[in-house]
Structure formats: structure tokens, C-alpha cells
């Protein structure tokens, strides 16, 4: 395979990731809330949909049934179907169907879209990341993230301005139609990036495959897969114990304006983008295990700061937390994925990615449910906990801090950051 062809494919992978990120922006967060509001869905139903999206990683386990020696065709085809379903989310509100039918169609479309997306995601990552030299994965991943973050920031601002403009004029249907067309165009461009990318099957993947269930059970028996999965779980327990509850804390207790929250988001993206290349080079020179241990320490420092964040110091302390969290996340997401490539045999990597992300997603969701009961208890008792005047989010930050410390100790004593490879 000519190096120029592979190099072109790596460039297309960066563009593919950005285009996919654009689509994800249009079907989540405030955009999703705008759609559900237009359909007349209740806040609780919207919350259920959002929770379902966070649990979508569970469907990554289905990738084992799709795995083939050559995955390009099936990944490309199902990605088209996935993004057409996302486009339908903006078309359904424009149909003349009854409200309940619209809601039912919307639920079916978003369920199938995330089912398909998560089923092919591990296969796609394994395919495209295999085109990157092992010694350059850190820098490449950082470049990919920087492009997605900065272009996504501009895309989100542009689309948000467009929707606000038509909503202000009372033409929300026009806004939805334009969003649907945008998703369709993004789908076409996204498909082209995969069509013109090459696929290089590894020698291990040319062997005869076992039955999917037996293959996944074999993956579960690999000690390095288990090690990585446990690290994914501990980190997700940390973030799931605190970050889902920060949104309301900013608006209610800390009294931030939406404008200030938007500024924080921009600062977060800029800080994270600015450190991504540094972390990538650091990981390539040292190891992803070493890098993630440092990044987890920084994340822990951020959660520690938030233990003391109250209305009196909220703007300063929360901004400090958010900056530290951005610095940490500039390396953590990349490191966790690349640890799979460092520690797991090539023929097991897509299964390991599916397993670690699905299991950690389930555990994180359960932690959020448990902590939500604690949050309600503290708030119902006049923001008192163990006899002290504390906001619920101060307590959740303390829980997140403890889980993050545990994850650092786990990397140091189980993953062992000394070596680049653990195969």
C-alpha cells in the first residue's frame, strides 16, 4: 500500500471525525431540547431520551456480530443509514401527522440511529486508527481533536445563530428544514471521506473468526482487556458522580447567566485544543499510561476545587475547575482509547473498545442514579450534609475527587505507566 494513499486516508479520518462531530452537535443538548419542545414532549420524556443517549454505548457490544475481515463497506453503509435517521429527526416535526404519532416516530428514529451508530463505532475506530503509526498516535489523535473542537465551536455558533434567527421570526419550521438539509449534506461529505479511505487488514485478522459470543467471551478472558475496562469504569464513575449535576448548579445556586455559561464553553474548547498537541507529543515520547496518570491528577485537582465552589466565589472557582478539567480532558479521552491499542492484541481491539465503553457507560449511569438520590436528600434537607451547610454539588465533587484518586492509584499500580506496550 503506497504511503501517499495511507497519508490521504489519515487526513480524511480527521475530516470524517469533524463531520461526525457536527452531526452529533445537531442532535444533542439544546438542539435536541428544541426538537422535543416543538413536538410537545415533557421535560421528563426529554430527560429519558438524554439518559438513553448516554446509555447508547451499551449497543457497542453488538459490533461483535458485525465484525468482518473487511469492515469498510458495512461501516460506511450503516453510517449512511444512521445519519439519515438523524436527518429524519428534523423532518418528523414538519409532517402533518398527529402529535402522538410524531413523538412515536421520533423515538423510533433516535433509538435506531444510536443503535446503529454505537454498533459500528468500535469497528470504525479500529479500522481508521490502524492507519496511524503506533509512534505517532498521540500527535495524530490530538490533531484530530483540535480540528473537531475548533471547527465544531464555529459550526455550533453558526447553526445556533441561524436557528435563533428563524425562531425569533416565528419560522421554526424553516429552521428545522435547514437543519435537516445540513445533516444530509454532512452525511454526503462524511460518506465520501470513508469511501476514499483505504482499509488494511492486519495479519491477525485474516485468520478464521470464531462465533461472535465465543469471541467476546475470549475477549473478556484477556487480562489486559479487563485492566483497561476497569480503568474506564473507575473514571466514568468519577465523572458520572458529579458532572451531570453541574448544569443546574451553574444556573440556580451559582446564578450564572446563559451568556457566561456560553463563554465558559468557549474557554473550555480553546484550552482543551491548546493542550491536545502537547499531550499527544508527551504520550508518543513517554506512554499513554504515563500521560493519563498525570491528566487524571489534574482532573482530580479540578474536582477538589469544586468542593469549595459556592456562590460567593463561583465565577472564579468554577472557571478554575473548568480550565483544569479542559486540560485534563485534552489527554484523557485520547489516552483511554490509545491504551486499548497499546495493551490489547490487534484482533481483539474492536471488541475491547466495545466492551470497555459499554460496561463503563452502564456503571456510570447507575452511579448517576445513586448519586441523584443523595442530591435530592441534601437539597430537601436545606443543603445540609452530615451536620454541615453544603450544597449537593460540593458533595458530588468530593465523591468524584475520591474516584479520580482511585483511578490514579489504579494506573500507577495496575496499568504500570513505565512501558509503552503491555502486549
Amino acid at each position: 500500500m503506497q504511503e501517499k494513499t495511507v497519508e490521504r486516508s489519515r487526513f480524511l479520518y480527521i475530516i470524517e471525525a469533524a463531520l461526525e462531530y457536527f452531526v452529533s452537535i445537531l442532535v444533542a443538548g439544546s438542539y435536541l431540547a428544541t426538537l422535543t419542545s416543538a413536538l410537545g414532549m415533557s421535560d421528563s420524556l426529554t430527560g429519558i431520551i438524554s439518559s438513553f443517549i448516554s446509555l447508547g454505548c451499551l449497543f457497542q457490544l453488538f459490533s461483535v456480530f458485525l465484525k468482518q475481515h473487511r469492515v469498510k463497506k458495512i461501516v460506511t453503509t450503516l453510517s449512511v443509514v444512521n445519519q439519515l435517521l438523524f436527518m429524519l429527526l428534523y423532518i418528523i416535526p414538519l409532517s402533518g401527522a398527529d402529535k402522538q404519532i410524531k413523538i412515536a416516530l421520533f423515538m423510533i428514529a433516535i433509538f435506531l440511529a444510536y443503535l446503529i451508530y454505537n454498533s459500528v463505532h468500535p469497528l470504525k475506530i479500529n479500522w481508521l486508527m490502524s492507519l496511524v503509526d503506533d509512534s505517532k498516535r498521540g500527535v495524530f489523535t490530538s490533531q484530530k481533536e483540535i480540528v473537531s473542537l475548533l471547527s465544531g465551536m464555529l459550526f455550533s455558533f453558526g447553526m445556533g445563530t441561524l436557528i435563533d434567527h428563524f425562531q425569533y421570526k416565528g419560522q421554526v419550521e424553516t429552521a428545522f428544514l435547514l437543519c435537516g438539509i445540513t445533516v444530509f449534506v454532512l452525511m454526503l461529505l462524511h460518506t465520501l471521506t470513508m469511501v476514499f479511505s483505504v482499509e488494511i487488514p492486519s495479519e491477525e485478522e485474516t485468520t478464521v473468526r470464531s462465533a461472535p459470543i465465543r469471541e467476546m467471551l475470549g475477549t473478556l478472558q484477556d487480562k489486559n482487556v479487563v485492566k483497561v475496562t476497569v480503568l474506564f469504569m473507575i473514571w466514568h464513575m468519577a465523572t458520572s458522580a458529579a458532572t451531570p449535576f453541574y448544569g443546574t448548579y451553574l444556573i440556580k445556586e451559582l446564578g450564572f447567566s446563559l451568556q457566561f455559561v456560553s463563554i465558559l464553553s468557549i474557554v473550555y474548547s480553546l484550552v482543551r485544543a491548546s493542550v491536545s498537541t502537547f499531550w499527544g507529543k508527551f504520550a508518543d515520547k513517554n506512554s499513554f499510561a504515563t500521560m493519563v496518570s498525570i491528566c487524571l491528577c489534574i482532573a482530580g485537582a479540578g474536582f477538589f476545587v469544586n468542593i469549595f465552589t459556592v456562590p460567593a466565589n463561583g465565577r472564579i472557582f468554577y472557571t478554575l475547575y473548568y480550565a483544569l478539567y479542559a486540560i485534563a480532558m485534552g489527554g484523557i479521552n485520547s489516552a483511554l482509547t490509545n491504551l486499548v491499542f497499546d495493551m490489547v492484541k490487534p484482533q481483539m481491539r474492536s471488541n475491547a473498545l466495545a466492551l470497555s465503553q459499554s460496561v463503563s457507560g452502564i456503571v456510570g449511569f447507575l452511579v448517576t442514579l445513586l448519586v441523584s438520590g443523595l442530591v435530592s436528600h441534601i437539597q430537601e434537607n436545606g443543603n445540609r450534609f452530615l451536620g454541615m451547610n453544603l450544597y449537593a454539588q460540593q458533595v458530588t465533587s468530593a465523591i468524584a475527587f475520591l474516584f479520580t484518586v482511585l483511578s490514579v492509584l489504579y494506573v500507577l499500580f495496575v496499568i504500570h505507566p513505565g512501558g509503552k506496550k503491555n502486549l
Side-chain angles (χ1 to χ4, degrees):
M1 187 65 64
Q2 295 182 350
E3 178 58 30
K4 285 187 178 180
T5 305
V6 177
E7 185 177 352
R8 181 197 68 198
S9 299
R10 288 195 291 264
F11 172 76
L12 289 174
Y13 181 22
I14 293 174
I15 303 302
E16 180 275 335
L19 293 170
E20 186 176 77
Y21 181 50
F22 294 170
V23 174
S24 71
I25 288 173
L26 289 176
V27 294
S30 58
Y31 293 93
L32 176 63
T34 301
L35 281 168
T36 57
S37 296
L39 289 169
M41 291 189 188
S42 64
D43 289 348
S44 59
L45 185 55
T46 301
I48 291 171
I49 293 174
S50 298
S51 297
F52 169 77
I53 292 172
S54 68
L55 272 178
C57 54
L58 174 63
F59 299 129
Q60 292 193 19
L61 291 175
F62 292 162
S63 65
V64 70
F65 297 99
L66 301 174
K67 189 177 178 183
Q68 302 173 3
H69 297 319
R70 297 277 184 155
V71 301
K72 175 179 174 178
K73 183 176 181 180
I74 192 167
V75 168
T76 303
T77 302
L78 290 179
S79 293
V80 170
V81 176
N82 151 242
Q83 291 176 353
L84 285 175
L85 286 167
F86 279 142
M87 181 191 72
L88 276 179
L89 299 182
Y90 280 98
I91 304 302
I92 290 171
L94 305 179
S95 69
D98 292 335
K99 175 183 173 180
Q100 295 304 319
I101 294 177
K102 287 182 182 180
I103 292 176
L105 290 174
F106 186 91
M107 297 285 285
I108 292 170
I110 199 168
F111 175 86
L112 290 176
Y114 278 103
L115 170 62
I116 294 170
Y117 170 80
N118 285 287
S119 296
V120 301
H121 187 69
L123 302 179
K124 188 194 73 174
I125 296 298
N126 191 45
W127 157 32
L128 295 174
M129 280 299 293
S130 68
L131 303 174
V132 183
D133 187 271
D134 283 349
S135 64
K136 299 177 180 178
R137 277 192 278 111
V139 171
F140 177 82
T141 305
S142 68
Q143 292 172 343
K144 180 165 64 74
E145 183 172 82
I146 288 171
V147 171
S148 292
L149 280 171
L150 297 183
S151 60
M153 193 168 59
L154 296 174
F155 177 80
S156 181
F157 178 79
M159 292 303 296
T161 302
L162 183 70
I163 292 176
D164 286 344
H165 169 74
F166 284 105
Q167 280 188 321
Y168 178 77
K169 295 176 66 175
Q171 300 175 357
V172 69
E173 294 84 2
T174 303
F176 286 171
L177 181 61
L178 289 174
C179 285
I181 293 173
T182 301
V183 174
F184 182 76
V185 172
L186 291 172
M187 181 272 294
L188 292 177
L189 296 174
H190 182 262
T191 303
L192 289 175
T193 62
M194 292 192 289
V195 167
F196 289 106
S197 294
V198 296
E199 181 179 14
I200 310 174
S202 65
E203 293 181 5
E204 292 86 348
E205 290 174 339
T206 60
T207 57
V208 178
R209 290 189 62 223
S210 58
I213 299 298
R214 186 180 303 171
E215 186 175 311
M216 184 57 79
L217 290 175
T219 303
L220 276 168
Q221 293 172 358
D222 186 277
K223 64 178 183 179
N224 283 338
V225 172
V226 174
K227 284 181 179 180
V228 175
T229 301
V230 172
L231 177 59
F232 270 75
M233 286 172 54
I234 300 173
W235 171 239
H236 275 74
M237 291 167 77
T239 57
S240 299
T243 56
F245 307 100
Y246 285 162
T248 56
Y249 193 50
L250 303 185
I251 303 301
K252 294 182 179 179
E253 286 84 354
L254 298 184
F256 291 175
S257 66
L258 290 176
Q259 184 182 44
F260 185 71
V261 173
S262 298
I263 292 172
L264 283 175
S265 297
I266 293 173
V267 170
Y268 174 88
S269 295
L270 291 174
V271 170
R272 181 167 169 175
S274 68
V275 299
S276 289
T277 299
F278 167 78
W279 285 129
K281 291 180 179 178
F282 181 89
D284 287 338
K285 184 178 180 180
N286 298 278
S287 72
F288 284 100
T290 302
M291 187 253 276
V292 78
S293 64
I294 297 172
C295 289
L296 287 170
C297 287
I298 296 172
F303 287 128
F304 185 77
V305 168
N306 255 2
I307 296 175
F308 305 97
T309 300
V310 293
N313 60 32
R315 282 180 174 255
I316 297 174
F317 275 41
Y318 191 84
T319 301
L320 176 59
Y321 150 76
Y322 216 32
L324 289 170
Y325 193 67
I327 294 170
M329 292 305 294
I332 289 175
N333 278 0
S334 165
L336 290 177
T337 299
N338 279 290
L339 273 176
V340 174
F341 282 79
D342 270 358
M343 297 179 63
V344 180
K345 297 174 183 177
Q347 67 269 29
M348 288 185 176
R349 285 172 180 169
S350 61
N351 288 350
L353 283 168
L355 182 69
S356 57
Q357 293 185 14
S358 58
V359 172
S360 61
I362 296 169
V363 171
F365 179 73
L366 293 175
V367 167
T368 299
L369 288 181
L370 289 173
V371 174
S372 64
L374 176 63
V375 169
S376 297
H377 173 74
I378 295 172
Q379 292 176 340
E380 289 169 1
N381 282 275
N383 293 320
R384 289 187 63 82
F385 181 71
L386 298 179
M388 296 179 286
N389 292 318
L390 292 171
Y391 290 105
Q393 285 79 358
Q394 290 180 269
V395 178
T396 62
S397 297
I399 296 172
F401 170 73
L402 293 175
F403 276 126
T404 306
V405 170
L406 179 60
S407 67
V408 173
L409 295 175
Y410 182 83
V411 173
L412 293 177
F413 294 103
V414 179
I415 300 296
H416 304 302
K420 281 195 171 188
K421 291 283 182 180
N422 288 288
L423 294 178

